[in-house]
Amino acid sequence: MHLVDGRVRGDRLHNQLYLLPDQPHSWALDATGPTDELARVAADWFRAVLDKPIVLYVWIHEGYAYAARYAYADSGETLSQSYVKKLAPDGQAAELTEAGHVHGRGWIQTVGLPTPSLYLHIRGDLDKGSVIPGVRATTKRGSLPGLWYE
């Protein structure tokens, strides 16, 4: 969140530069007014963002978690994701790359993956969102090697 000269803007910040995105997300905040009003608006906005339902999707191959994606369950927007080629099915990384599911310096995006193996409800009211159909729910992480972290 940035507060400058009677204007408050809140959105997803760049993870290194702490800049707001050029194109605001649907849940972004942009308000002007006196400082006390902006403080109330900012607090309400933070509460709404913290109440958004979040799920963790995990992809498993041969007993290892090779990909993971945290996403808002109400919008499907990805918060963070990981993919480990050496744990993934043979040839999958090349297929995803060829299909254009790569960003930045070769980061493979989980959007191109098949249906996740399971999901874990992290927080928020899941009734205000939805999960990918056909994905098995789990209630705890368990002892699963690979990308199984927060």
Side-chain angles (χ1 to χ4, degrees):
M1 178 170 292
H2 293 177
L3 173 62
V4 179
D5 297 329
R7 181 181 184 197
V8 65
R9 294 175 57 223
D11 203 336
R12 188 173 178 175
L13 294 175
H14 186 280
N15 67 350
Q16 295 171 352
L17 304 175
Y18 304 111
L19 299 174
L20 294 167
D22 294 333
Q23 294 294 327
H25 291 85
S26 61
W27 48 271
L29 168 67
D30 191 348
T32 59
T35 303
D36 57 339
E37 175 66 15
L38 293 179
R40 185 193 60 74
V41 169
D44 291 346
W45 180 80
F46 268 120
R47 178 77 270 153
V49 170
L50 291 172
D51 285 343
K52 289 173 70 66
I54 295 176
V55 294
L56 167 63
Y57 293 108
V58 177
W59 287 261
I60 301 171
H61 175 67
E62 296 182 351
Y64 288 88
Y66 69 91
R69 175 173 70 223
Y70 286 90
Y72 282 128
D74 60 350
S75 67
E77 178 186 352
T78 297
L79 296 168
S80 67
Q81 59 189 322
S82 296
Y83 181 89
V84 177
K85 294 177 190 179
K86 68 181 182 179
L87 298 175
D90 289 340
Q92 185 183 62
E95 291 172 11
L96 292 168
T97 300
E98 187 175 311
H101 296 292
V102 177
H103 183 72
R105 296 183 173 170
W107 291 93
I108 293 178
Q109 306 295 290
T110 57
V111 168
L113 293 175
T115 302
S117 305
L118 54 89
Y119 78 89
L120 176 67
H121 176 211
I122 301 297
R123 73 158 196 243
D125 184 353
L126 205 48
D127 290 336
K128 294 181 180 179
S130 62
V131 295
I132 297 172
V135 180
R136 177 176 61 89
T138 187
T139 57
K140 57 185 176 180
R141 295 185 194 288
S143 56
L144 183 65
L147 300 171
W148 194 240
Y149 62 87
E150 282 196 305

